[in-house]
Amino acid sequence: MHTFDAVVIGAGAAGLFCAGMAGQRGLRVLLIDHAEKVAEKIRISGGGRCNFTNRDAGPANFLSANPHFCRSALARYTPQDFIGLVQRHRIPFHEKHKGQLFCDESSDEIIQMLLRECEAGGVARWQPCSVNAISDGFVLDTSRGMVRARSVVIATGGLSIPKIGATDFGYRIAKQFGHKLIDTRPALVPLTFDAGQWAPFVDLSGLSLEARVTTGEGKSKGEFLEDLLFTHRGLSGPAILQISSFWSPGTPIRLDLAPAQDLQADLAAAKNASKRKLGNELAEILPRRLAQTWLAGKPDLAEKPMPELRDRDLQALATGLQRWELTPSGTEGYKKAEVTAGGVDTRELSSQTLESQKTAGLYFIGEVVDVTGWLGGYNFQWAWASAAACAQAL
Ligand code: FDA
């Protein structure tokens, strides 16, 4: 029987960070992962450059059934703390957009940094190693033998991207120890539409433009001004990934395809000033492909010179483009989702330490917990902050 102070299961962002920090506090720590390689999600994140935090991350950037839960951990381990660590490891980085920080070179630098931190803490690492069972009192039956530990940290992440090792292990352990789960669903994910409904827009596939996207009402309303991407099956791009986390099946999303403009006023002005056909005029205001596709079913309008158009037709056109309402049929699912929303119900965890309120010594950190960040480095910041809160309590 091997004995450790703490066993951390899952060598992803949260698990590696927690193990290193706990080891450096003098604890004997074992880090287990069933995959050959550690932190595959860090590797593929941010297009290979890892958007490792967001300078402005705060509780408002997270979704949860218990929205205040993340406050304590986020306040005690801030983006500035992680930036300091990255700087101490001399990893060059840059800000790309709205506070998002990326490595200049490669996300592998973040992985190597976390591994060095684990080494500095004398963390034992078993990989690939699977955990068959965890019994009360924390005896773990693993593929490399039996292990006893005072504390167990579940850092096995969510269900997104099963082909690089995502499993429901964390949720199963949570249930075994009597925890409630908030229903899981793919988030930060492209939205899809029925083939028939989408047929008129398939030719726009590959087109990207800035758009304002909204969904929901009141407290559950989401609104983002970001780039939108048309795909063969529906919509993607940052604007859609963001709104997907707020979207409920069966409800519509609303798009403003010309958010920097007042199209009604622009078209009214063009009616007085231009003799061009509407199709040509619209192609000056919007991307040409979008203008052509939008008017494709309305040749009478497209071919009419501006002065001959009725005000109400121009008004309807402007409203259609700036308040386009459409109901997705679904999402691209976990195979394309960047994160999993929902997870271990935070109302049964300590917000100070992430410890289970049902079983002393059992902790849940990172994405397995019902705390889901927006797109833009927030999910990693939650992984670091929840890991730090736990590591200090172990
Ligand atoms: P994570 O998924 O990192 O780690 C879980 C670990 O547990 C894995 O190593 C896995 O192998 C292991 N595991 C699973 N089941 C197990 C089992 N049964 N036994 C043993 N081990 C098991 N976020 C962000 O802030 N900025 C970004 O740029 C991106 N980019 C991005 C791109 C893509 C394509 C994806 C899919 C995701 C992102 N994210 C992101 C989200 C981010 O990657 C994610 O939120 C964190 O990695 C979550 O960290 P965790 O440590 O909780 O899980």
Side-chain angles (χ1 to χ4, degrees), residues 292-305:
Q292 284 169 346
T293 302
W294 201 266
L295 292 173
K298 310 172 186 96
D300 301 355
L301 278 187
E303 292 300 315
K304 227 178 225 173

PDB file of all heavy atoms in Angstrom, residues 292-305:
ATOM      1  N   GLN A 292     -25.819  39.827 -51.009  1.00  0.00           N
ATOM      2  CA  GLN A 292     -26.394  39.037 -52.122  1.00  0.00           C
ATOM      3  C   GLN A 292     -27.286  37.922 -51.600  1.00  0.00           C
ATOM      4  O   GLN A 292     -28.386  37.702 -52.084  1.00  0.00           O
ATOM      5  CB  GLN A 292     -25.271  38.440 -52.976  1.00  0.00           C
ATOM      6  CG  GLN A 292     -24.623  39.475 -53.869  1.00  0.00           C
ATOM      7  CD  GLN A 292     -23.341  38.959 -54.521  1.00  0.00           C
ATOM      8  OE1 GLN A 292     -22.789  37.933 -54.124  1.00  0.00           O
ATOM      9  NE2 GLN A 292     -22.872  39.698 -55.524  1.00  0.00           N
ATOM     10  N   THR A 293     -26.824  37.214 -50.588  1.00  0.00           N
ATOM     11  CA  THR A 293     -27.601  36.089 -50.052  1.00  0.00           C
ATOM     12  C   THR A 293     -28.890  36.591 -49.415  1.00  0.00           C
ATOM     13  O   THR A 293     -29.951  35.983 -49.561  1.00  0.00           O
ATOM     14  CB  THR A 293     -26.759  35.317 -49.012  1.00  0.00           C
ATOM     15  OG1 THR A 293     -25.574  34.885 -49.655  1.00  0.00           O
ATOM     16  CG2 THR A 293     -27.502  34.132 -48.438  1.00  0.00           C
ATOM     17  N   TRP A 294     -28.780  37.711 -48.709  1.00  0.00           N
ATOM     18  CA  TRP A 294     -29.951  38.234 -48.004  1.00  0.00           C
ATOM     19  C   TRP A 294     -31.047  38.628 -48.988  1.00  0.00           C
ATOM     20  O   TRP A 294     -32.234  38.454 -48.735  1.00  0.00           O
ATOM     21  CB  TRP A 294     -29.542  39.438 -47.152  1.00  0.00           C
ATOM     22  CG  TRP A 294     -30.497  39.713 -46.046  1.00  0.00           C
ATOM     23  CD1 TRP A 294     -31.549  40.576 -46.065  1.00  0.00           C
ATOM     24  CD2 TRP A 294     -30.528  39.082 -44.760  1.00  0.00           C
ATOM     25  NE1 TRP A 294     -32.219  40.533 -44.878  1.00  0.00           N
ATOM     26  CE2 TRP A 294     -31.604  39.621 -44.053  1.00  0.00           C
ATOM     27  CE3 TRP A 294     -29.720  38.117 -44.150  1.00  0.00           C
ATOM     28  CZ2 TRP A 294     -31.917  39.233 -42.752  1.00  0.00           C
ATOM     29  CZ3 TRP A 294     -30.035  37.737 -42.866  1.00  0.00           C
ATOM     30  CH2 TRP A 294     -31.123  38.285 -42.180  1.00  0.00           C
ATOM     31  N   LEU A 295     -30.645  39.140 -50.154  1.00  0.00           N
ATOM     32  CA  LEU A 295     -31.631  39.606 -51.137  1.00  0.00           C
ATOM     33  C   LEU A 295     -31.936  38.549 -52.198  1.00  0.00           C
ATOM     34  O   LEU A 295     -32.723  38.804 -53.115  1.00  0.00           O
ATOM     35  CB  LEU A 295     -31.119  40.882 -51.818  1.00  0.00           C
ATOM     36  CG  LEU A 295     -31.038  42.128 -50.914  1.00  0.00           C
ATOM     37  CD1 LEU A 295     -30.371  43.277 -51.653  1.00  0.00           C
ATOM     38  CD2 LEU A 295     -32.417  42.557 -50.428  1.00  0.00           C
ATOM     39  N   ALA A 296     -31.308  37.356 -52.060  1.00  0.00           N
ATOM     40  CA  ALA A 296     -31.433  36.349 -53.127  1.00  0.00           C
ATOM     41  C   ALA A 296     -32.885  35.987 -53.430  1.00  0.00           C
ATOM     42  O   ALA A 296     -33.264  35.794 -54.579  1.00  0.00           O
ATOM     43  CB  ALA A 296     -30.638  35.102 -52.762  1.00  0.00           C
ATOM     44  N   GLY A 297     -33.707  35.921 -52.388  1.00  0.00           N
ATOM     45  CA  GLY A 297     -35.110  35.535 -52.611  1.00  0.00           C
ATOM     46  C   GLY A 297     -35.989  36.728 -52.970  1.00  0.00           C
ATOM     47  O   GLY A 297     -37.215  36.581 -53.092  1.00  0.00           O
ATOM     48  N   LYS A 298     -35.385  37.899 -53.117  1.00  0.00           N
ATOM     49  CA  LYS A 298     -36.189  39.110 -53.365  1.00  0.00           C
ATOM     50  C   LYS A 298     -35.629  39.877 -54.569  1.00  0.00           C
ATOM     51  O   LYS A 298     -35.199  41.039 -54.444  1.00  0.00           O
ATOM     52  CB  LYS A 298     -36.157  40.021 -52.125  1.00  0.00           C
ATOM     53  CG  LYS A 298     -36.490  39.312 -50.819  1.00  0.00           C
ATOM     54  CD  LYS A 298     -36.248  40.246 -49.631  1.00  0.00           C
ATOM     55  CE  LYS A 298     -36.434  39.516 -48.320  1.00  0.00           C
ATOM     56  NZ  LYS A 298     -35.213  39.001 -47.714  1.00  0.00           N
ATOM     57  N   PRO A 299     -35.646  39.255 -55.779  1.00  0.00           N
ATOM     58  CA  PRO A 299     -35.037  39.923 -56.940  1.00  0.00           C
ATOM     59  C   PRO A 299     -35.698  41.267 -57.269  1.00  0.00           C
ATOM     60  O   PRO A 299     -35.026  42.194 -57.724  1.00  0.00           O
ATOM     61  CB  PRO A 299     -35.242  38.915 -58.075  1.00  0.00           C
ATOM     62  CG  PRO A 299     -36.214  37.905 -57.578  1.00  0.00           C
ATOM     63  CD  PRO A 299     -36.197  37.937 -56.097  1.00  0.00           C
ATOM     64  N   ASP A 300     -37.029  41.387 -56.991  1.00  0.00           N
ATOM     65  CA  ASP A 300     -37.699  42.662 -57.307  1.00  0.00           C
ATOM     66  C   ASP A 300     -37.048  43.808 -56.557  1.00  0.00           C
ATOM     67  O   ASP A 300     -36.840  44.890 -57.088  1.00  0.00           O
ATOM     68  CB  ASP A 300     -39.174  42.645 -56.852  1.00  0.00           C
ATOM     69  CG  ASP A 300     -39.934  41.525 -57.504  1.00  0.00           C
ATOM     70  OD1 ASP A 300     -39.325  40.851 -58.353  1.00  0.00           O
ATOM     71  OD2 ASP A 300     -41.115  41.325 -57.143  1.00  0.00           O
ATOM     72  N   LEU A 301     -36.765  43.523 -55.263  1.00  0.00           N
ATOM     73  CA  LEU A 301     -36.155  44.570 -54.432  1.00  0.00           C
ATOM     74  C   LEU A 301     -34.704  44.820 -54.856  1.00  0.00           C
ATOM     75  O   LEU A 301     -34.293  45.959 -55.048  1.00  0.00           O
ATOM     76  CB  LEU A 301     -36.135  44.143 -52.961  1.00  0.00           C
ATOM     77  CG  LEU A 301     -37.384  44.328 -52.123  1.00  0.00           C
ATOM     78  CD1 LEU A 301     -37.070  44.007 -50.674  1.00  0.00           C
ATOM     79  CD2 LEU A 301     -37.897  45.759 -52.224  1.00  0.00           C
ATOM     80  N   ALA A 302     -33.958  43.721 -55.010  1.00  0.00           N
ATOM     81  CA  ALA A 302     -32.522  43.850 -55.272  1.00  0.00           C
ATOM     82  C   ALA A 302     -32.242  44.672 -56.528  1.00  0.00           C
ATOM     83  O   ALA A 302     -31.279  45.439 -56.584  1.00  0.00           O
ATOM     84  CB  ALA A 302     -31.897  42.460 -55.398  1.00  0.00           C
ATOM     85  N   GLU A 303     -33.100  44.516 -57.517  1.00  0.00           N
ATOM     86  CA  GLU A 303     -32.857  45.161 -58.817  1.00  0.00           C
ATOM     87  C   GLU A 303     -33.415  46.576 -58.900  1.00  0.00           C
ATOM     88  O   GLU A 303     -33.220  47.275 -59.890  1.00  0.00           O
ATOM     89  CB  GLU A 303     -33.486  44.308 -59.937  1.00  0.00           C
ATOM     90  CG  GLU A 303     -32.813  42.965 -60.154  1.00  0.00           C
ATOM     91  CD  GLU A 303     -31.340  43.130 -60.527  1.00  0.00           C
ATOM     92  OE1 GLU A 303     -31.037  43.984 -61.379  1.00  0.00           O
ATOM     93  OE2 GLU A 303     -30.493  42.439 -59.910  1.00  0.00           O
ATOM     94  N   LYS A 304     -34.145  46.983 -57.875  1.00  0.00           N
ATOM     95  CA  LYS A 304     -34.793  48.308 -57.952  1.00  0.00           C
ATOM     96  C   LYS A 304     -33.819  49.439 -57.624  1.00  0.00           C
ATOM     97  O   LYS A 304     -33.066  49.327 -56.660  1.00  0.00           O
ATOM     98  CB  LYS A 304     -35.959  48.344 -56.948  1.00  0.00           C
ATOM     99  CG  LYS A 304     -37.235  48.893 -57.546  1.00  0.00           C
ATOM    100  CD  LYS A 304     -38.343  48.857 -56.575  1.00  0.00           C
ATOM    101  CE  LYS A 304     -39.559  48.316 -57.314  1.00  0.00           C
ATOM    102  NZ  LYS A 304     -40.675  48.085 -56.439  1.00  0.00           N
ATOM    103  N   PRO A 305     -33.826  50.537 -58.382  1.00  0.00           N
ATOM    104  CA  PRO A 305     -32.984  51.686 -58.013  1.00  0.00           C
ATOM    105  C   PRO A 305     -33.458  52.272 -56.679  1.00  0.00           C
ATOM    106  O   PRO A 305     -34.661  52.282 -56.403  1.00  0.00           O
ATOM    107  CB  PRO A 305     -33.194  52.685 -59.156  1.00  0.00           C
ATOM    108  CG  PRO A 305     -33.795  51.888 -60.276  1.00  0.00           C
ATOM    109  CD  PRO A 305     -34.559  50.768 -59.639  1.00  0.00           C
TER     110      PRO A 305
END
